Amino acid sequence: MRKIFFLLFIASNSFSQSFLSPDSSDVFFKDLTVNQVVFKANDKELKAFEQKFGKMFDNKAQYTALLNVNVDEWEMDLFDKRNEALNYLKQKQKDFEPEVLKRLEAEVMFNYWHLLYAYPVLRSNADQKLKTVVSLPKVMTKSFDLPKGDELLAVKSYRDLLNFWVIYQNSEKNKFVKYADMVQSAVDKSDYAVQNLQKQSLDYVLANILQENSNRISSSAARYILSQINSEKIQQNFKGDFITKIVEKEHNLEEKAKEEATKKAKSSGIDITFLDREGKSFDLSKYKGKVVYLDIWASWCGPCRAEFPYSKKMYESLSEKEKKNIVFLYISIDDKEENWKNAIQNLNLDGFEHGFSSGGWGSQIVQKFKITGIPRYMIINKDGAVVKPDAKRPSNPETLSELLELAK
């Protein structure tokens, strides 16, 4: 694929053609500042171009259409339409202002890649039974190297491409395995964007990740992604009701989960199997006769990590006899086992008991106790019964006395 370099711009009000205007999902474009070029548009020629090729830029129609064709048919159709539009512009180049012509060429070229990368993402999202993300044949993408630069944000098709490109590239990095943990999915996408984009392009993508995941992201993950955004103006869009609503939702779900978990857990133990660091299965019968302080966490969870020093301090305050009667067990719900093991080492948690509950937010322990937020703590008595399904945190001074009382 030949590389094309464009002179890019945001058009003045005279260039307000509907097929190039931001759609309702493009909510952060107004917060971007890119170079503007004021020019007079030839309305007649623009309307002629829109009438002939405007459907190429109708995202809603295109996203529906791609669900009903195979990838080869889709790419060939995009390729033909792209070339047809570029040939038209070449033939009509004298009828357009140079800046208008370059803008239209840019829209056509980036729209091809935008709709190509949209194909696997939208197809995969539409079929919940799929365990993997649809991947594009390498021959279709090997010639594409994403151009980068904030000036490109003036092109609507480039903005559309950015969002799908980050999602697809992160999926490829994840070997196209679908995420069970949607919080981890959002965090990984944002991390990929941070590593591969800069300045306003990065801000634009991160803002869209937050917006798209507003109903399923945790408050801690939302704050983490928000902290990566450079623009104070965009940050302000999220610092009010956006975070507050997530916190309220978490609180309501947690309270409901507490009530249900308390009813089920007081008279029963946890009949769940975990993996230890050697890959062997175990359950909590291993610790029968001891009091277990269960810490449910994940490597990406900032509040979880913030409590670890208090756990260590609490454990170190125990006598040798008390240490034999009280177990500190850390159960990870990381999406990837590798992330869990690396975090244990990086956070100096080697001296404690560890288990892995695979499946992220779909893991057995999360489902059984309807856990909606972490860290989450439980206390299990010597008989293996959950006596406190929502125990106090390590940083709470009362936690240690409760453990010692049960260990008598």
Side-chain angles (χ1 to χ4, degrees), residues 214-215 217 219 238-252:
S214 60
N215 292 326
I217 200 171
S219 57
F238 293 101
K239 285 186 176 178
D241 290 344
F242 184 84
I243 297 293
T244 301
K245 287 179 180 178
I246 293 176
V247 172
E248 288 178 353
K249 180 189 70 175
E250 287 177 334
H251 177 73
N252 292 337

CSV table of all heavy atoms in Angstrom, one decimal, residues 214-215 217 219 238-252:
chain,number,residue,atom,x,y,z
A,214,SER,N,-18.5,2.7,30.4
A,214,SER,CA,-19.0,3.3,31.5
A,214,SER,C,-19.9,2.4,32.4
A,214,SER,O,-20.0,2.6,33.6
A,214,SER,CB,-19.8,4.6,31.1
A,214,SER,OG,-20.9,4.3,30.3
A,215,ASN,N,-20.6,1.5,31.8
A,215,ASN,CA,-21.5,0.6,32.5
A,215,ASN,C,-20.9,-0.6,33.1
A,215,ASN,O,-21.6,-1.4,33.8
A,215,ASN,CB,-22.7,0.2,31.6
A,215,ASN,CG,-23.6,1.4,31.2
A,215,ASN,OD1,-23.8,2.3,32.0
A,215,ASN,ND2,-24.1,1.4,30.0
A,217,ILE,N,-17.1,-0.7,33.9
A,217,ILE,CA,-15.8,-0.5,34.4
A,217,ILE,C,-15.9,-0.2,35.9
A,217,ILE,O,-16.9,0.3,36.4
A,217,ILE,CB,-15.1,0.7,33.7
A,217,ILE,CG1,-13.6,0.7,33.8
A,217,ILE,CG2,-15.7,2.0,34.1
A,217,ILE,CD1,-12.9,1.7,33.0
A,219,SER,N,-14.6,1.8,39.4
A,219,SER,CA,-14.2,3.1,39.7
A,219,SER,C,-12.7,3.3,39.8
A,219,SER,O,-12.1,4.2,39.3
A,219,SER,CB,-14.8,3.6,41.0
A,219,SER,OG,-14.4,2.8,42.1
A,238,PHE,N,-15.1,13.9,33.0
A,238,PHE,CA,-15.3,12.6,33.7
A,238,PHE,C,-15.2,12.7,35.2
A,238,PHE,O,-15.6,11.8,35.9
A,238,PHE,CB,-14.2,11.6,33.3
A,238,PHE,CG,-14.4,11.2,31.8
A,238,PHE,CD1,-13.6,11.7,30.9
A,238,PHE,CD2,-15.3,10.2,31.5
A,238,PHE,CE1,-13.7,11.3,29.5
A,238,PHE,CE2,-15.4,9.8,30.2
A,238,PHE,CZ,-14.6,10.4,29.2
A,239,LYS,N,-14.7,13.9,35.7
A,239,LYS,CA,-14.5,13.9,37.2
A,239,LYS,C,-15.7,14.2,38.0
A,239,LYS,O,-15.7,14.1,39.2
A,239,LYS,CB,-13.4,15.0,37.4
A,239,LYS,CG,-12.0,14.6,37.1
A,239,LYS,CD,-11.0,15.6,37.5
A,239,LYS,CE,-9.6,15.1,37.2
A,239,LYS,NZ,-8.5,16.1,37.5
A,240,GLY,N,-16.8,14.5,37.4
A,240,GLY,CA,-18.0,14.8,38.1
A,240,GLY,C,-18.9,13.6,38.2
A,240,GLY,O,-18.6,12.6,38.9
A,241,ASP,N,-20.0,13.7,37.5
A,241,ASP,CA,-21.1,12.6,37.6
A,241,ASP,C,-20.6,11.2,37.1
A,241,ASP,O,-21.0,10.2,37.5
A,241,ASP,CB,-22.3,13.0,36.7
A,241,ASP,CG,-23.1,14.2,37.4
A,241,ASP,OD1,-22.8,14.4,38.6
A,241,ASP,OD2,-23.9,14.8,36.7
A,242,PHE,N,-19.6,11.2,36.1
A,242,PHE,CA,-19.2,10.0,35.5
A,242,PHE,C,-18.6,9.0,36.6
A,242,PHE,O,-19.1,7.9,36.8
A,242,PHE,CB,-18.1,10.3,34.5
A,242,PHE,CG,-17.6,9.0,33.8
A,242,PHE,CD1,-18.3,8.5,32.7
A,242,PHE,CD2,-16.5,8.3,34.2
A,242,PHE,CE1,-17.9,7.4,32.0
A,242,PHE,CE2,-16.1,7.2,33.5
A,242,PHE,CZ,-16.8,6.7,32.4
A,243,ILE,N,-17.7,9.5,37.4
A,243,ILE,CA,-17.1,8.7,38.4
A,243,ILE,C,-18.1,8.4,39.5
A,243,ILE,O,-18.2,7.3,40.1
A,243,ILE,CB,-15.8,9.3,39.0
A,243,ILE,CG1,-14.7,9.4,37.9
A,243,ILE,CG2,-15.3,8.5,40.2
A,243,ILE,CD1,-14.2,8.1,37.4
A,244,THR,N,-18.8,9.5,39.9
A,244,THR,CA,-19.8,9.3,41.0
A,244,THR,C,-20.8,8.2,40.7
A,244,THR,O,-21.2,7.4,41.6
A,244,THR,CB,-20.6,10.7,41.2
A,244,THR,OG1,-19.6,11.7,41.5
A,244,THR,CG2,-21.6,10.6,42.3
A,245,LYS,N,-21.3,8.2,39.5
A,245,LYS,CA,-22.3,7.2,39.1
A,245,LYS,C,-21.7,5.8,39.2
A,245,LYS,O,-22.4,4.8,39.6
A,245,LYS,CB,-22.8,7.4,37.7
A,245,LYS,CG,-23.8,8.7,37.6
A,245,LYS,CD,-24.3,8.9,36.2
A,245,LYS,CE,-25.2,10.1,36.1
A,245,LYS,NZ,-25.6,10.4,34.7
A,246,ILE,N,-20.5,5.6,38.8
A,246,ILE,CA,-19.8,4.3,38.9
A,246,ILE,C,-19.7,3.9,40.3
A,246,ILE,O,-20.0,2.7,40.7
A,246,ILE,CB,-18.4,4.3,38.2
A,246,ILE,CG1,-18.6,4.5,36.7
A,246,ILE,CG2,-17.7,3.0,38.5
A,246,ILE,CD1,-17.3,4.6,36.0
A,247,VAL,N,-19.3,4.8,41.2
A,247,VAL,CA,-19.1,4.5,42.6
A,247,VAL,C,-20.5,4.1,43.2
A,247,VAL,O,-20.6,3.2,44.0
A,247,VAL,CB,-18.5,5.7,43.4
A,247,VAL,CG1,-18.5,5.5,44.9
A,247,VAL,CG2,-17.1,6.0,42.9
A,248,GLU,N,-21.5,4.9,42.9
A,248,GLU,CA,-22.9,4.6,43.4
A,248,GLU,C,-23.3,3.2,42.9
A,248,GLU,O,-23.9,2.4,43.7
A,248,GLU,CB,-23.8,5.7,42.9
A,248,GLU,CG,-23.6,7.0,43.6
A,248,GLU,CD,-24.6,8.1,43.1
A,248,GLU,OE1,-25.3,7.8,42.1
A,248,GLU,OE2,-24.6,9.2,43.6
A,249,LYS,N,-23.1,2.9,41.7
A,249,LYS,CA,-23.5,1.6,41.1
A,249,LYS,C,-22.7,0.5,41.9
A,249,LYS,O,-23.3,-0.5,42.3
A,249,LYS,CB,-23.2,1.5,39.6
A,249,LYS,CG,-23.5,0.2,39.0
A,249,LYS,CD,-23.0,0.1,37.6
A,249,LYS,CE,-21.5,0.0,37.6
A,249,LYS,NZ,-20.9,-0.2,36.2
A,250,GLU,N,-21.4,0.7,42.1
A,250,GLU,CA,-20.6,-0.3,42.8
A,250,GLU,C,-21.2,-0.5,44.2
A,250,GLU,O,-21.3,-1.6,44.7
A,250,GLU,CB,-19.2,0.1,42.9
A,250,GLU,CG,-18.4,0.0,41.5
A,250,GLU,CD,-17.0,0.5,41.6
A,250,GLU,OE1,-16.7,1.3,42.5
A,250,GLU,OE2,-16.2,0.0,40.8
A,251,HIS,N,-21.5,0.6,44.9
A,251,HIS,CA,-22.0,0.5,46.2
A,251,HIS,C,-23.3,-0.2,46.3
A,251,HIS,O,-23.5,-1.1,47.2
A,251,HIS,CB,-22.1,2.0,46.8
A,251,HIS,CG,-22.7,2.0,48.2
A,251,HIS,ND1,-22.0,1.6,49.3
A,251,HIS,CD2,-24.0,2.3,48.6
A,251,HIS,CE1,-22.7,1.8,50.4
A,251,HIS,NE2,-23.9,2.2,50.0
A,252,ASN,N,-24.2,0.1,45.4
A,252,ASN,CA,-25.5,-0.6,45.4
A,252,ASN,C,-25.4,-2.1,45.1
A,252,ASN,O,-26.0,-2.9,45.8
A,252,ASN,CB,-26.4,0.1,44.4
A,252,ASN,CG,-26.8,1.5,44.7
A,252,ASN,OD1,-26.8,1.9,45.9
A,252,ASN,ND2,-27.2,2.3,43.7
